[in-house]
PDB file of all heavy atoms in Angstrom:
ATOM      1  N   THR A 700     -20.157   3.468 -22.677  1.00  0.00           N
ATOM      2  CA  THR A 700     -20.212   4.917 -22.484  1.00  0.00           C
ATOM      3  C   THR A 700     -19.946   5.338 -21.049  1.00  0.00           C
ATOM      4  O   THR A 700     -20.062   6.516 -20.712  1.00  0.00           O
ATOM      5  CB  THR A 700     -21.586   5.454 -22.923  1.00  0.00           C
ATOM      6  OG1 THR A 700     -22.615   4.784 -22.183  1.00  0.00           O
ATOM      7  CG2 THR A 700     -21.806   5.234 -24.414  1.00  0.00           C
ATOM      8  N   ALA A 701     -19.575   4.396 -20.184  1.00  0.00           N
ATOM      9  CA  ALA A 701     -19.161   4.694 -18.810  1.00  0.00           C
ATOM     10  C   ALA A 701     -18.221   3.586 -18.371  1.00  0.00           C
ATOM     11  O   ALA A 701     -18.287   2.460 -18.863  1.00  0.00           O
ATOM     12  CB  ALA A 701     -20.363   4.776 -17.875  1.00  0.00           C
ATOM     13  N   VAL A 702     -17.316   3.904 -17.445  1.00  0.00           N
ATOM     14  CA  VAL A 702     -16.347   2.918 -16.979  1.00  0.00           C
ATOM     15  C   VAL A 702     -16.295   2.921 -15.451  1.00  0.00           C
ATOM     16  O   VAL A 702     -16.223   3.986 -14.823  1.00  0.00           O
ATOM     17  CB  VAL A 702     -14.935   3.187 -17.541  1.00  0.00           C
ATOM     18  CG1 VAL A 702     -13.975   2.087 -17.090  1.00  0.00           C
ATOM     19  CG2 VAL A 702     -14.955   3.279 -19.060  1.00  0.00           C
ATOM     20  N   LEU A 703     -16.323   1.723 -14.886  1.00  0.00           N
ATOM     21  CA  LEU A 703     -16.128   1.523 -13.456  1.00  0.00           C
ATOM     22  C   LEU A 703     -14.770   0.837 -13.255  1.00  0.00           C
ATOM     23  O   LEU A 703     -14.422  -0.080 -13.991  1.00  0.00           O
ATOM     24  CB  LEU A 703     -17.233   0.645 -12.870  1.00  0.00           C
ATOM     25  CG  LEU A 703     -18.675   1.079 -13.128  1.00  0.00           C
ATOM     26  CD1 LEU A 703     -19.646   0.061 -12.536  1.00  0.00           C
ATOM     27  CD2 LEU A 703     -18.932   2.475 -12.565  1.00  0.00           C
ATOM     28  N   PHE A 704     -14.038   1.290 -12.270  1.00  0.00           N
ATOM     29  CA  PHE A 704     -12.737   0.698 -11.965  1.00  0.00           C
ATOM     30  C   PHE A 704     -12.700   0.178 -10.532  1.00  0.00           C
ATOM     31  O   PHE A 704     -13.212   0.823  -9.612  1.00  0.00           O
ATOM     32  CB  PHE A 704     -11.617   1.746 -12.098  1.00  0.00           C
ATOM     33  CG  PHE A 704     -11.294   2.154 -13.496  1.00  0.00           C
ATOM     34  CD1 PHE A 704     -11.893   3.280 -14.051  1.00  0.00           C
ATOM     35  CD2 PHE A 704     -10.373   1.450 -14.261  1.00  0.00           C
ATOM     36  CE1 PHE A 704     -11.583   3.693 -15.337  1.00  0.00           C
ATOM     37  CE2 PHE A 704     -10.049   1.854 -15.549  1.00  0.00           C
ATOM     38  CZ  PHE A 704     -10.660   2.972 -16.094  1.00  0.00           C
ATOM     39  N   ASP A 705     -12.056  -0.952 -10.355  1.00  0.00           N
ATOM     40  CA  ASP A 705     -11.665  -1.411  -9.034  1.00  0.00           C
ATOM     41  C   ASP A 705     -10.479  -0.548  -8.570  1.00  0.00           C
ATOM     42  O   ASP A 705      -9.870   0.168  -9.370  1.00  0.00           O
ATOM     43  CB  ASP A 705     -11.272  -2.891  -9.135  1.00  0.00           C
ATOM     44  CG  ASP A 705     -10.693  -3.435  -7.852  1.00  0.00           C
ATOM     45  OD1 ASP A 705     -11.329  -3.279  -6.800  1.00  0.00           O
ATOM     46  OD2 ASP A 705      -9.588  -4.004  -7.904  1.00  0.00           O
ATOM     47  N   PHE A 706     -10.157  -0.638  -7.306  1.00  0.00           N
ATOM     48  CA  PHE A 706      -9.064   0.156  -6.726  1.00  0.00           C
ATOM     49  C   PHE A 706      -7.757  -0.643  -6.655  1.00  0.00           C
ATOM     50  O   PHE A 706      -6.881  -0.500  -7.501  1.00  0.00           O
ATOM     51  CB  PHE A 706      -9.478   0.642  -5.329  1.00  0.00           C
ATOM     52  CG  PHE A 706      -8.369   1.214  -4.488  1.00  0.00           C
ATOM     53  CD1 PHE A 706      -7.579   2.254  -4.942  1.00  0.00           C
ATOM     54  CD2 PHE A 706      -8.128   0.708  -3.203  1.00  0.00           C
ATOM     55  CE1 PHE A 706      -6.563   2.787  -4.155  1.00  0.00           C
ATOM     56  CE2 PHE A 706      -7.119   1.242  -2.402  1.00  0.00           C
ATOM     57  CZ  PHE A 706      -6.336   2.274  -2.871  1.00  0.00           C
ATOM     58  N   SER A 707      -7.648  -1.518  -5.657  1.00  0.00           N
ATOM     59  CA  SER A 707      -6.401  -2.232  -5.398  1.00  0.00           C
ATOM     60  C   SER A 707      -6.133  -3.298  -6.451  1.00  0.00           C
ATOM     61  O   SER A 707      -6.974  -4.154  -6.717  1.00  0.00           O
ATOM     62  CB  SER A 707      -6.453  -2.888  -4.011  1.00  0.00           C
ATOM     63  OG  SER A 707      -5.296  -3.654  -3.762  1.00  0.00           O
ATOM     64  N   GLY A 708      -4.967  -3.230  -7.049  1.00  0.00           N
ATOM     65  CA  GLY A 708      -4.596  -4.182  -8.086  1.00  0.00           C
ATOM     66  C   GLY A 708      -5.076  -3.795  -9.461  1.00  0.00           C
ATOM     67  O   GLY A 708      -4.761  -4.470 -10.445  1.00  0.00           O
ATOM     68  N   THR A 709      -5.834  -2.697  -9.535  1.00  0.00           N
ATOM     69  CA  THR A 709      -6.369  -2.229 -10.818  1.00  0.00           C
ATOM     70  C   THR A 709      -5.834  -0.834 -11.148  1.00  0.00           C
ATOM     71  O   THR A 709      -5.104  -0.656 -12.116  1.00  0.00           O
ATOM     72  CB  THR A 709      -7.897  -2.241 -10.802  1.00  0.00           C
ATOM     73  OG1 THR A 709      -8.356  -3.573 -10.553  1.00  0.00           O
ATOM     74  CG2 THR A 709      -8.466  -1.748 -12.132  1.00  0.00           C
ATOM     75  N   LEU A 710      -6.199   0.149 -10.343  1.00  0.00           N
ATOM     76  CA  LEU A 710      -5.675   1.505 -10.538  1.00  0.00           C
ATOM     77  C   LEU A 710      -4.439   1.754  -9.681  1.00  0.00           C
ATOM     78  O   LEU A 710      -3.546   2.513 -10.072  1.00  0.00           O
ATOM     79  CB  LEU A 710      -6.745   2.533 -10.195  1.00  0.00           C
ATOM     80  CG  LEU A 710      -7.918   2.653 -11.170  1.00  0.00           C
ATOM     81  CD1 LEU A 710      -8.963   3.618 -10.621  1.00  0.00           C
ATOM     82  CD2 LEU A 710      -7.447   3.104 -12.548  1.00  0.00           C
ATOM     83  N   PHE A 711      -4.410   1.140  -8.499  1.00  0.00           N
ATOM     84  CA  PHE A 711      -3.302   1.333  -7.562  1.00  0.00           C
ATOM     85  C   PHE A 711      -2.770  -0.021  -7.095  1.00  0.00           C
ATOM     86  O   PHE A 711      -3.486  -1.023  -7.102  1.00  0.00           O
ATOM     87  CB  PHE A 711      -3.767   2.099  -6.312  1.00  0.00           C
ATOM     88  CG  PHE A 711      -3.921   3.583  -6.496  1.00  0.00           C
ATOM     89  CD1 PHE A 711      -5.099   4.113  -7.019  1.00  0.00           C
ATOM     90  CD2 PHE A 711      -2.911   4.457  -6.133  1.00  0.00           C
ATOM     91  CE1 PHE A 711      -5.258   5.482  -7.174  1.00  0.00           C
ATOM     92  CE2 PHE A 711      -3.059   5.826  -6.292  1.00  0.00           C
ATOM     93  CZ  PHE A 711      -4.240   6.340  -6.808  1.00  0.00           C
ATOM     94  N   ARG A 712      -1.530  -0.004  -6.638  1.00  0.00           N
ATOM     95  CA  ARG A 712      -0.920  -1.172  -6.028  1.00  0.00           C
ATOM     96  C   ARG A 712      -0.345  -0.757  -4.674  1.00  0.00           C
ATOM     97  O   ARG A 712       0.316   0.285  -4.565  1.00  0.00           O
ATOM     98  CB  ARG A 712       0.194  -1.713  -6.916  1.00  0.00           C
ATOM     99  CG  ARG A 712       1.065  -2.770  -6.270  1.00  0.00           C
ATOM    100  CD  ARG A 712       0.422  -4.140  -6.239  1.00  0.00           C
ATOM    101  NE  ARG A 712       1.318  -5.113  -5.599  1.00  0.00           N
ATOM    102  CZ  ARG A 712       1.376  -6.396  -5.919  1.00  0.00           C
ATOM    103  NH1 ARG A 712       0.579  -6.877  -6.865  1.00  0.00           N
ATOM    104  NH2 ARG A 712       2.191  -7.217  -5.292  1.00  0.00           N
ATOM    105  N   VAL A 713      -0.606  -1.551  -3.652  1.00  0.00           N
ATOM    106  CA  VAL A 713      -0.063  -1.261  -2.331  1.00  0.00           C
ATOM    107  C   VAL A 713       1.433  -1.592  -2.312  1.00  0.00           C
ATOM    108  O   VAL A 713       1.925  -2.388  -3.116  1.00  0.00           O
ATOM    109  CB  VAL A 713      -0.821  -2.072  -1.247  1.00  0.00           C
ATOM    110  CG1 VAL A 713      -0.450  -3.549  -1.297  1.00  0.00           C
ATOM    111  CG2 VAL A 713      -0.607  -1.477   0.134  1.00  0.00           C
ATOM    112  N   GLU A 714       2.163  -0.963  -1.410  1.00  0.00           N
ATOM    113  CA  GLU A 714       3.600  -1.202  -1.272  1.00  0.00           C
ATOM    114  C   GLU A 714       3.879  -2.653  -0.884  1.00  0.00           C
ATOM    115  O   GLU A 714       2.979  -3.409  -0.499  1.00  0.00           O
ATOM    116  CB  GLU A 714       4.175  -0.257  -0.215  1.00  0.00           C
ATOM    117  CG  GLU A 714       3.636  -0.491   1.191  1.00  0.00           C
ATOM    118  CD  GLU A 714       4.081   0.574   2.169  1.00  0.00           C
ATOM    119  OE1 GLU A 714       5.123   1.216   1.948  1.00  0.00           O
ATOM    120  OE2 GLU A 714       3.373   0.793   3.178  1.00  0.00           O
ATOM    121  N   SER A 715       5.135  -3.046  -0.933  1.00  0.00           N
ATOM    122  CA  SER A 715       5.524  -4.399  -0.547  1.00  0.00           C
ATOM    123  C   SER A 715       5.386  -4.578   0.961  1.00  0.00           C
ATOM    124  O   SER A 715       5.333  -3.600   1.725  1.00  0.00           O
ATOM    125  CB  SER A 715       6.977  -4.667  -0.951  1.00  0.00           C
ATOM    126  OG  SER A 715       7.858  -3.874  -0.165  1.00  0.00           O
ATOM    127  N   THR A 716       5.346  -5.824   1.400  1.00  0.00           N
ATOM    128  CA  THR A 716       5.242  -6.092   2.835  1.00  0.00           C
ATOM    129  C   THR A 716       6.444  -5.534   3.580  1.00  0.00           C
ATOM    130  O   THR A 716       6.313  -4.985   4.681  1.00  0.00           O
ATOM    131  CB  THR A 716       5.115  -7.606   3.089  1.00  0.00           C
ATOM    132  OG1 THR A 716       3.996  -8.106   2.347  1.00  0.00           O
ATOM    133  CG2 THR A 716       4.900  -7.891   4.563  1.00  0.00           C
ATOM    134  N   ASP A 717       7.624  -5.646   2.986  1.00  0.00           N
ATOM    135  CA  ASP A 717       8.829  -5.113   3.620  1.00  0.00           C
ATOM    136  C   ASP A 717       8.722  -3.596   3.791  1.00  0.00           C
ATOM    137  O   ASP A 717       9.009  -3.056   4.864  1.00  0.00           O
ATOM    138  CB  ASP A 717      10.054  -5.473   2.775  1.00  0.00           C
ATOM    139  CG  ASP A 717      11.349  -4.994   3.402  1.00  0.00           C
ATOM    140  OD1 ASP A 717      11.827  -5.649   4.342  1.00  0.00           O
ATOM    141  OD2 ASP A 717      11.881  -3.947   2.953  1.00  0.00           O
ATOM    142  N   SER A 718       8.284  -2.897   2.745  1.00  0.00           N
ATOM    143  CA  SER A 718       8.125  -1.444   2.819  1.00  0.00           C
ATOM    144  C   SER A 718       7.045  -1.062   3.820  1.00  0.00           C
ATOM    145  O   SER A 718       7.174  -0.064   4.551  1.00  0.00           O
ATOM    146  CB  SER A 718       7.776  -0.900   1.431  1.00  0.00           C
ATOM    147  OG  SER A 718       7.494   0.477   1.479  1.00  0.00           O
ATOM    148  N   TRP A 719       5.976  -1.847   3.854  1.00  0.00           N
ATOM    149  CA  TRP A 719       4.863  -1.630   4.796  1.00  0.00           C
ATOM    150  C   TRP A 719       5.364  -1.674   6.234  1.00  0.00           C
ATOM    151  O   TRP A 719       5.061  -0.784   7.037  1.00  0.00           O
ATOM    152  CB  TRP A 719       3.828  -2.713   4.532  1.00  0.00           C
ATOM    153  CG  TRP A 719       2.620  -2.778   5.398  1.00  0.00           C
ATOM    154  CD1 TRP A 719       1.785  -1.759   5.738  1.00  0.00           C
ATOM    155  CD2 TRP A 719       2.067  -3.966   5.985  1.00  0.00           C
ATOM    156  NE1 TRP A 719       0.737  -2.237   6.508  1.00  0.00           N
ATOM    157  CE2 TRP A 719       0.895  -3.577   6.662  1.00  0.00           C
ATOM    158  CE3 TRP A 719       2.438  -5.307   5.984  1.00  0.00           C
ATOM    159  CZ2 TRP A 719       0.083  -4.505   7.355  1.00  0.00           C
ATOM    160  CZ3 TRP A 719       1.644  -6.230   6.656  1.00  0.00           C
ATOM    161  CH2 TRP A 719       0.487  -5.824   7.334  1.00  0.00           C
ATOM    162  N   LEU A 720       6.126  -2.694   6.559  1.00  0.00           N
ATOM    163  CA  LEU A 720       6.655  -2.823   7.915  1.00  0.00           C
ATOM    164  C   LEU A 720       7.653  -1.717   8.219  1.00  0.00           C
ATOM    165  O   LEU A 720       7.604  -1.088   9.292  1.00  0.00           O
ATOM    166  CB  LEU A 720       7.311  -4.194   8.089  1.00  0.00           C
ATOM    167  CG  LEU A 720       8.011  -4.448   9.430  1.00  0.00           C
ATOM    168  CD1 LEU A 720       7.037  -4.295  10.591  1.00  0.00           C
ATOM    169  CD2 LEU A 720       8.662  -5.828   9.441  1.00  0.00           C
ATOM    170  N   ARG A 721       8.563  -1.447   7.298  1.00  0.00           N
ATOM    171  CA  ARG A 721       9.573  -0.414   7.545  1.00  0.00           C
ATOM    172  C   ARG A 721       8.941   0.969   7.685  1.00  0.00           C
ATOM    173  O   ARG A 721       9.373   1.789   8.496  1.00  0.00           O
ATOM    174  CB  ARG A 721      10.617  -0.426   6.431  1.00  0.00           C
ATOM    175  CG  ARG A 721      11.499  -1.672   6.445  1.00  0.00           C
ATOM    176  CD  ARG A 721      12.508  -1.681   5.293  1.00  0.00           C
ATOM    177  NE  ARG A 721      13.208  -2.949   5.228  1.00  0.00           N
ATOM    178  CZ  ARG A 721      14.282  -3.261   5.947  1.00  0.00           C
ATOM    179  NH1 ARG A 721      14.781  -2.349   6.777  1.00  0.00           N
ATOM    180  NH2 ARG A 721      14.861  -4.434   5.822  1.00  0.00           N
ATOM    181  N   GLY A 722       7.924   1.260   6.877  1.00  0.00           N
ATOM    182  CA  GLY A 722       7.248   2.540   6.991  1.00  0.00           C
ATOM    183  C   GLY A 722       6.543   2.691   8.322  1.00  0.00           C
ATOM    184  O   GLY A 722       6.523   3.778   8.922  1.00  0.00           O
ATOM    185  N   THR A 723       5.965   1.606   8.808  1.00  0.00           N
ATOM    186  CA  THR A 723       5.307   1.624  10.112  1.00  0.00           C
ATOM    187  C   THR A 723       6.308   1.851  11.232  1.00  0.00           C
ATOM    188  O   THR A 723       6.080   2.657  12.145  1.00  0.00           O
ATOM    189  CB  THR A 723       4.553   0.290  10.345  1.00  0.00           C
ATOM    190  OG1 THR A 723       3.600   0.101   9.296  1.00  0.00           O
ATOM    191  CG2 THR A 723       3.836   0.295  11.676  1.00  0.00           C
ATOM    192  N   LEU A 724       7.419   1.158  11.162  1.00  0.00           N
ATOM    193  CA  LEU A 724       8.457   1.314  12.185  1.00  0.00           C
ATOM    194  C   LEU A 724       9.041   2.723  12.176  1.00  0.00           C
ATOM    195  O   LEU A 724       9.298   3.306  13.236  1.00  0.00           O
ATOM    196  CB  LEU A 724       9.563   0.291  11.951  1.00  0.00           C
ATOM    197  CG  LEU A 724       9.197  -1.169  12.229  1.00  0.00           C
ATOM    198  CD1 LEU A 724      10.298  -2.094  11.726  1.00  0.00           C
ATOM    199  CD2 LEU A 724       8.939  -1.393  13.715  1.00  0.00           C
ATOM    200  N   ALA A 725       9.223   3.290  10.997  1.00  0.00           N
ATOM    201  CA  ALA A 725       9.810   4.632  10.895  1.00  0.00           C
ATOM    202  C   ALA A 725       8.928   5.686  11.539  1.00  0.00           C
ATOM    203  O   ALA A 725       9.424   6.708  12.020  1.00  0.00           O
ATOM    204  CB  ALA A 725      10.052   4.977   9.431  1.00  0.00           C
ATOM    205  N   ALA A 726       7.617   5.430  11.547  1.00  0.00           N
ATOM    206  CA  ALA A 726       6.681   6.391  12.130  1.00  0.00           C
ATOM    207  C   ALA A 726       6.440   6.139  13.616  1.00  0.00           C
ATOM    208  O   ALA A 726       5.665   6.860  14.248  1.00  0.00           O
ATOM    209  CB  ALA A 726       5.351   6.327  11.382  1.00  0.00           C
ATOM    210  N   SER A 727       7.096   5.134  14.158  1.00  0.00           N
ATOM    211  CA  SER A 727       6.904   4.789  15.565  1.00  0.00           C
ATOM    212  C   SER A 727       8.196   4.977  16.343  1.00  0.00           C
ATOM    213  O   SER A 727       9.248   5.305  15.782  1.00  0.00           O
ATOM    214  CB  SER A 727       6.449   3.329  15.690  1.00  0.00           C
ATOM    215  OG  SER A 727       7.536   2.447  15.455  1.00  0.00           O
ATOM    216  N   ALA A 728       8.114   4.727  17.649  1.00  0.00           N
ATOM    217  CA  ALA A 728       9.302   4.802  18.492  1.00  0.00           C
ATOM    218  C   ALA A 728       9.961   3.433  18.636  1.00  0.00           C
ATOM    219  O   ALA A 728      10.923   3.273  19.386  1.00  0.00           O
ATOM    220  CB  ALA A 728       8.929   5.337  19.873  1.00  0.00           C
ATOM    221  N   ILE A 729       9.462   2.454  17.899  1.00  0.00           N
ATOM    222  CA  ILE A 729       9.958   1.080  18.010  1.00  0.00           C
ATOM    223  C   ILE A 729      11.159   0.899  17.084  1.00  0.00           C
ATOM    224  O   ILE A 729      11.093   1.230  15.901  1.00  0.00           O
ATOM    225  CB  ILE A 729       8.851   0.080  17.657  1.00  0.00           C
ATOM    226  CG1 ILE A 729       7.656   0.273  18.599  1.00  0.00           C
ATOM    227  CG2 ILE A 729       9.359  -1.358  17.731  1.00  0.00           C
ATOM    228  CD1 ILE A 729       6.409  -0.438  18.157  1.00  0.00           C
ATOM    229  N   ARG A 730      12.231   0.383  17.622  1.00  0.00           N
ATOM    230  CA  ARG A 730      13.431   0.158  16.838  1.00  0.00           C
ATOM    231  C   ARG A 730      13.777  -1.332  16.869  1.00  0.00           C
ATOM    232  O   ARG A 730      13.866  -1.933  17.937  1.00  0.00           O
ATOM    233  CB  ARG A 730      14.602   0.978  17.391  1.00  0.00           C
ATOM    234  CG  ARG A 730      14.362   2.484  17.326  1.00  0.00           C
ATOM    235  CD  ARG A 730      14.316   2.971  15.885  1.00  0.00           C
ATOM    236  NE  ARG A 730      14.006   4.397  15.805  1.00  0.00           N
ATOM    237  CZ  ARG A 730      12.801   4.893  15.572  1.00  0.00           C
ATOM    238  NH1 ARG A 730      11.778   4.073  15.407  1.00  0.00           N
ATOM    239  NH2 ARG A 730      12.598   6.193  15.531  1.00  0.00           N
TER     240      ARG A 730
END
């Protein structure tokens, strides 16, 4: 009659490592 959910890997998935790095670089002045 109630449900508990985990977050990462259950309801959501984090981006790929490549996307993580590229997103960080895009928001910085580092090229």
Side-chain angles (χ1 to χ4, degrees):
T700 57
V702 183
L703 306 177
F704 288 94
D705 173 52
F706 167 55
S707 176
T709 301
L710 289 174
F711 282 85
R712 169 78 180 212
V713 73
E714 64 188 336
S715 68
T716 304
D717 182 78
S718 175
W719 177 49
L720 176 59
R721 291 178 188 276
T723 302
L724 290 170
S727 75
I729 301 167
R730 298 293 177 262

